[in-house]
Amino acid sequence: MKKLAVTIFFLSANCLMVQAQNWPQFRGPSATGVVEGRPALTKFDAPKSENTAWKTAIPGLAHSSPIVWGNKVFVTTAVTSGAKDETRYGLYGDVAPVKDDPKHTWKVYALDKATGKILWERIAYEGVPKVKRHPKSTHADSTPVTDGKVLIALFGSHGLYAYDLNGKLLWKQDLGLLDSGWFYDPDYQWEHGSSPVIFRDLVIVQADVQKDCYIAAYSLKDGKLVWKTQRDEISSWGTPTIYEGKTRAELITNGSKAIRGYDPLTGKELWKLTPNSEVTTPTPFAARDLIYVTSGYRPIQPIYAIKPGANGDISLKDGTASSANIAWSKPRGGPYMPTPLVYGDIFYTCSNQGVVTAYNADNGERIYQERLGGKGGAFTSSPVASDGKLYLLSEDGDIFVVKTGPKYELLSTNPVGEVMMASPAISDGLLIVRGLNHVFAFGESKNSSARK
């Protein structure tokens, strides 16, 4: 009887873990920005603690996004030793990096998803930053990733780190100097921003920097280099994406000189597509058997809907918008910072100014274009979606909730009271948001708590 009870207990625990809604990387499952299965909240108010399950203070400065596995939320940060804060937000075009960067401490945190309690924190690296950052950037921009067993944190020039989910350091890897910046002048350093991804037993890092760009795979088990492919590129900040098709897997990268597909097991280039913007930030993703890649640095602001399985140079001929390898494309309309998403049969983009545009995901026909709340604002965070709702986070401290579908309908505008640059996570009905100073969980809770 005792053995039976123990067996039932472990089976129940395993079932609960399987049923937990995981958000394992930047933009969630397969980088789509979409999950279903748990009703997501529509109205909340952080300053009034309305439908705020918890609020936890995290020191330092970081634009890396929260990820979720089981009952844990993971975030990273870089804590300064006390310099003047030169970070700026909003819509501006300055390119000069922050000048004053003293000693920093790079950290990884695990929070309890139900309560927000800090379960553990680990110091990954301490020292003076090896590169400067853009005034709108941080020294902890890369979102961590996990497969449920290993947690990977990338801190650019300060290393790649692997932990188990209880915080034990498994290995670390020095990737050298990852100096990403303005292509016109190498003195304008803006920091590394691409996030790592996991494919089977590999950790893949896209390192588009000012000199000697590459994409590489490291062993998830011990951090040793498995393959490394040089890239004829300039600096970029988008995260690579794995598309697993019926016949093969493709590793998709957004780069300034070309959008490329690779074999994720070997690093062999499969195909490439041009032209693209000179600054690329949005992450590729797949939906409806298409691979969507966008970018928004003028004058080239393309949107591409690519058919998987291509080989060679698949660039479009002049004057054409589709081909055997491209379902549809547009020369303008790609967003500069936020990554788009597909929900149902609609492809949504959000501009830096808060203009939402909806397209038919299969053919690119524009359905509507509206400015959020009639006023827009400044937007860097990528939208996410669940339960028929889009969530769009502004740098001005508001979260807009828009009903999905062919007609624009703003359901609510929800105050958070902090600058929001990171993209949110959704798990089990909770909207988990990284603000400038706190991580918030919005959702109905009988025992709301705030950790200030």
Side-chain angles (χ1 to χ4, degrees), residues 267-284:
K268 177 185 176 182
E269 183 178 305
L270 301 173
W271 55 265
K272 67 178 181 179
L273 168 64
T274 61
N276 203 7
S277 301
E278 287 182 315
V279 176
T280 58
T281 299
T283 291

Side-chain angles (χ1 to χ4, degrees), residues 157-189:
S157 304
H158 310 98
L160 183 69
Y161 299 83
Y163 300 86
D164 70 17
L165 300 199
N166 293 317
K168 178 184 176 181
L169 180 65
L170 303 176
W171 53 263
K172 58 184 178 181
Q173 179 68 259
D174 184 356
L175 304 185
L177 192 67
L178 299 187
D179 179 8
S180 300
W182 197 24
F183 51 86
Y184 278 138
D185 190 336
D187 291 333
Y188 285 73
Q189 299 174 319

Side-chain angles (χ1 to χ4, degrees), residues 242-281:
I242 302 292
Y243 169 77
E244 295 198 64
K246 296 178 181 178
T247 59
R248 71 181 189 186
E250 298 179 35
L251 170 64
I252 317 300
T253 63
N254 197 0
S256 297
K257 291 188 177 181
I259 299 161
R260 294 177 174 89
Y262 297 88
D263 181 339
L265 294 176
T266 66
K268 177 185 176 182
E269 183 178 305
L270 301 173
W271 55 265
K272 67 178 181 179
L273 168 64
T274 61
N276 203 7
S277 301
E278 287 182 315
V279 176
T280 58
T281 299

Side-chain angles (χ1 to χ4, degrees), residues 208-223:
D208 287 346
V209 291
Q210 301 205 42
K211 186 180 180 181
D212 298 328
C213 301
Y214 66 87
I215 188 162
Y218 302 87
S219 168
L220 186 61
K221 180 180 179 181
D222 56 22

Side-chain angles (χ1 to χ4, degrees), residues 23 27 64 103 119 150 190 215 260 295 302 326 370 393 451:
W23 191 274
R27 295 262 299 165
S64 54
K103 180 181 176 181
L119 300 175
V150 180
W190 291 347
I215 188 162
R260 294 177 174 89
S295 205
I326 311 293
E370 295 286 345
L393 284 59
R451 299 178 182 276

